[in-house]
Amino acid sequence: MELPPDELLTRLDDTVQRLVEDDADAPEQYSPAVGATCLYAVYDPVTRRCTMARAGHPSPAVVDPQGRVTFPDLPTGTPLGMGLGVAFEAAELELPEGSLLGLYTDGLVETRDHDIDVGMHRLGSALAQPGRPLEELCGRAMETFPGQAPSDDATLLLVRTRRVSPSQVATWTLPGEQTAARSARRLAARQLAEWGLEGLADATRLIVSELVTNAVRHAGGPVTLRLIHHQVLTCEVFDSSACAPRVVSARTHDENGRGLFLVAQLSRRWGFRTGSGGKVVWAEEDLAPAPPPAEAVGVPPAPGKRPVPVSATSAAPRVAAGREPLLR
């Protein structure tokens, strides 16, 4: 389940409040003033749009490829666990390719002798050379107050945005009709041939067919199919329904109910995310199947056993300071 930043902060806020209440020995010991700040961002490398929401946390530093530094004026939000019931708001920015995004704690920009404005100015000056390696920029930024101990823990996370080339993305809008699945199979197969991925055609045709069929059956209206060829092959289907898809256990004589089960079996992973206009159901495929695991000498393979594809990118994407990942 992939939640928009503002909705995710709302759920985190509820979770922190429950944890604080559970830790209290008696109801009168609960203090609503206990909280934590948070900044959550999601970057789409296809559209270059970054959606952010914060809960009492400092605004990020955004550095464009020319070295211009800004601190976006995001809706502030209250710290998590305060229990004030104030709704969190998200803001969306379009970032040029190669932009630098700096997320930090207030301990990096605030000391006992300087207020936060001075620290943010020094941080911006240290990051104003975005072409330098991230590790070097981290080192420069962590020395914004040389010789002075920070008033709190100082943490900095730097990421550099990248963009998926338009030639690696194919998008089609299909009518909400029963013929949409057949059109989706044909369009997907033709696009895979152009990308030289004919080996994925059979599995991809089944995946897009099932996803498009579900969208037509349960959502109605036009359906958008998008294929993204990058580190993996991603199939996305957009529809106007906000209902969450789920895998059901189909019985032997059932004619329906196996679509998402097939998608789960054919893909390395799948999921969905909601938005203001509906939802996106997606599935990822490895570009090349992994070699089967070596069997012990003299031991036959287990009946019906098939190797599970594994790749170096199969782990959940992580971002670390000093590295240059493609944000997902």
Side-chain angles (χ1 to χ4, degrees):
M1 181 170 58
E2 301 177 16
L3 299 174
D6 51 343
E7 186 175 343
L8 183 136
L9 290 184
T10 299
R11 298 202 181 191
L12 277 179
D13 186 43
D14 293 338
T15 300
V16 173
Q17 291 182 51
R18 289 198 304 269
L19 290 175
V20 173
E21 293 171 352
D22 292 344
D23 288 342
D25 294 333
E28 60 270 13
Q29 294 181 352
Y30 169 62
S31 173
V34 177
T37 66
C38 180
L39 172 63
Y40 184 66
V42 177
Y43 175 71
D44 186 341
V46 176
T47 62
R48 294 185 291 107
R49 293 188 177 276
C50 184
T51 306
M52 295 180 278
R54 60 176 178 151
H57 204 79
S59 290
V62 179
V63 189
D64 68 15
Q66 286 71 45
R68 293 184 291 265
V69 183
T70 58
F71 293 88
D73 186 18
L74 305 178
T76 304
T78 58
L80 302 175
M82 296 295 288
L84 300 181
V86 179
F88 295 99
E89 298 181 48
E92 187 177 79
L93 304 175
E94 184 172 328
L95 303 178
E97 183 179 8
S99 296
L100 196 67
L101 202 60
L103 284 65
Y104 55 91
T105 58
D106 55 2
L108 181 66
V109 294
E110 191 173 24
T111 69
R112 296 178 180 85
D113 301 324
H114 300 88
D115 63 25
I116 194 170
D117 292 333
V118 175
M120 291 173 67
H121 176 74
R122 293 191 178 187
L123 174 62
S125 299
L127 299 179
Q129 302 181 50
R132 292 179 177 272
L134 296 185
E135 290 185 358
E136 181 180 335
L137 289 173
C138 281
R140 287 165 52 91
M142 296 298 288
E143 297 173 355
T144 52
F145 291 108
Q148 299 185 37
S151 59
D152 200 353
D153 291 338
T155 304
L156 174 64
L157 173 68
L158 290 183
V159 292
R160 180 171 287 123
T161 65
R162 297 180 182 176
R163 180 179 70 113
V164 174
S165 170
S167 63
Q168 297 173 279
V169 181
T171 306
W172 305 274
T173 299
L174 306 171
E177 302 171 354
Q178 294 299 322
T179 58
R182 183 174 62 219
S183 299
R185 292 192 296 268
R186 175 177 52 80
L187 293 169
R190 186 175 64 189
Q191 186 61 53
L192 292 183
E194 292 182 10
W195 285 337
L197 300 176
E198 293 90 341
L200 300 179
D202 290 340
T204 304
R205 278 197 295 258
L206 275 173
I207 289 173
V208 300
S209 182
E210 295 298 338
L211 294 184
V212 169
T213 297
N214 282 348
V216 171
R217 178 175 299 166
H218 301 293
V223 174
T224 300
L225 169 65
R226 184 166 76 171
L227 298 182
I228 305 173
H229 175 206
H230 197 251
Q231 297 168 334
V232 295
L233 176 66
T234 303
C235 307
E236 297 180 333
V237 173
F238 302 70
D239 65 53
S240 58
S241 172
C243 294
R246 61 187 181 90
V247 178
V248 298
S249 298
R251 294 169 296 183
T252 304
H253 58 275
D254 289 341
E255 296 183 2
N256 300 313
R258 297 181 178 82
L260 288 179
F261 176 79
L262 288 174
V263 172
Q265 294 297 307
L266 293 170
S267 60
R268 63 193 294 268
R269 61 175 186 161
W270 74 278
F272 73 96
R273 61 183 181 271
T274 58
S276 58
K279 69 175 181 298
V280 181
V281 185
W282 54 265
E284 290 181 351
E285 299 175 72
D286 288 310
L287 297 182
E295 299 286 350
V297 177
V299 178
K305 180 180 178 182
R306 67 181 182 88
V308 178
V310 177
S311 74
T313 61
S314 61
R318 299 178 180 177
V319 179
R323 303 192 177 228
E324 302 185 9
L326 171 64
L327 293 182
R328 301 286 305 282

